[in-house]
Amino acid sequence: MSETYQASWDSLTQHKVPDWFSDGKFGLYAHWGVYAVPGFGNEWYGKWMYDPAHEIHREHVKRFGSPAQFGYKDFIPDFSAELYDPDEWAELFAASGAGYAGFSLAHHDGFGLWDSDVYRWNVGKMGPKRDLYGELAAALRRRGLRLVAPFHIVRGFNWFLAGWNQWDQTFNAEAVERGVAEGWDLFDPEYADFYWVQQTSEFADFFKAWQLKVREVIDKYQPDLMWFDGGKFREDGIESTALEILAHYLNQGLRWNKEVLVLNKLPVSMQYNFHPDFGVINFEKGRDRPANYERPWNDDMRIGDQSWGWVENQVYADGHTLLSKLIDCSARGGSMMLSLSPKADGSIPQGQRGPLLEMGAWLQVNGEAIYNTVPWTTHAEGDTEKLFEYRNNHRFWVYDKCNADDRRYTQSKDGKTVYAMTLGIPRRSVSFEALNDGVAIESVSLLESEQPVTWSQSAEGLTIDTSSSEFLTDLAAAWKVNLR
């Protein structure tokens, strides 16, 4: 090895973001798990079904009976994946224009989607009895896509307890007492290594198991990219272990002769998972992301309006919204990671497939304006306030109101070309203000076709006549502006 990383932030922050990630701009993953079997509420079904005050508990009792009769573990046999075709998934992911893909290896419920030898609650030993993750990893690599390994389970201890708050370590004692009295499986010692609640287990054992799971995935599947949901990674007693695992992963990357990367999430706690100079900063649904951010960054978003996982009657983001986000992120120097919501049988609903294929078709002919680009001196023109929603003292980026009035820029790495884009199709003309007569333009062409482009330049900007242009889609338009 040419270099060895030590288990310290001084060492780990020397790790550089690979070009393949910065250049690729777009990746996919999925929230897929046992919670897709009931398909109600959201991916926290397993937690809320044990909370008598929650509507999911009431729905669970109505459909399946009391948690004493039918616990969360009892959904596992119906997580069948009988329609799961990893090659079909990989084909879809490749067609979308994504450069990496995967799915959450285990959500907060702790059920693993890889064939594990370090614990029993996984798809290799229960449910489909297949290595779902390993099969997808092989299918992706056959198509030249890289592999992401997302983990949520560090927040799993006491997660199932009603009213559990990981920050102040409190829960609803009355609801827990009721569950114990009624004999909910949540408090049965036989399932302590699945539910991981303090009534039947110890955090030290949970944390030891977490380390074994993460190391197993690293060594067995050699992922190109790792992501961890919010957790107390910087706290005493945990940070040293997190450092050891991160150093192990980066050093394994050197042994594999592979450029690997870690996404560094900004959780709702507003404290980065890891040192702020480590990895690529990751923002969930753009929450609290600045308009301009100097460090490499990534936005993580879900395709559904209700849940990260599959639930009944969910509305999915359309291709225009997703592409608008990708273009905007690229213009501002970031990238985008989109989560899908497969059903328990392993199928991806058409409502999710269609928007991906729309994006992919656009990127097939306009990808030059996205891939391998860097931000230009101007990132965006148009109304920015419509990109923001405010909830619970946090700001989120949203893209469902974008149109042809919204203009974005990227540039080639050599600085010789600027790509000017609109987040919709201008029917008569469009003016790019930043490309005024102070910028020496040699030529302007439409990326997606060889149609002639009529343009003029003045102090007000570059104006393109689009009245006679024919566009292949109604999603967005991109022009290549060669500079002198």
Side-chain angles (χ1 to χ4, degrees), residues 74 78 95 115 124 152 183-184 193 217 232 236 305 311 375 388:
D74 297 312
D78 290 323
D115 183 11
H152 291 75
W184 295 356
D193 59 341
V217 167
K232 298 184 176 183
D236 291 343
D305 68 330
V311 296
F388 303 135

Side-chain angles (χ1 to χ4, degrees), residues 26-30 92-93 96 98 100-102 148 337-340 356:
F26 176 43
L28 287 168
Y29 75 125
L92 174 64
F93 295 168
S96 76
Y100 63 89
V148 59
M337 183 168 67
L338 173 67
S339 177
L340 304 180
L356 291 184

Side-chain angles (χ1 to χ4, degrees), residues 420 426 428-430 432 435 441-457 462-471 477-482:
R428 294 185 179 181
S429 66
V430 59
F432 293 97
L435 288 167
I441 296 177
E442 182 175 287
S443 64
V444 179
S445 59
L446 187 63
L447 264 187
E448 66 180 42
S449 75
E450 296 182 357
Q451 296 175 59
V453 175
T454 301
W455 60 278
S456 61
Q457 193 180 25
L462 167 68
T463 298
I464 300 173
D465 181 356
T466 62
S467 59
S468 60
S469 299
E470 296 182 4
F471 296 91
W479 288 269
K480 182 175 182 177
V481 181
N482 291 317

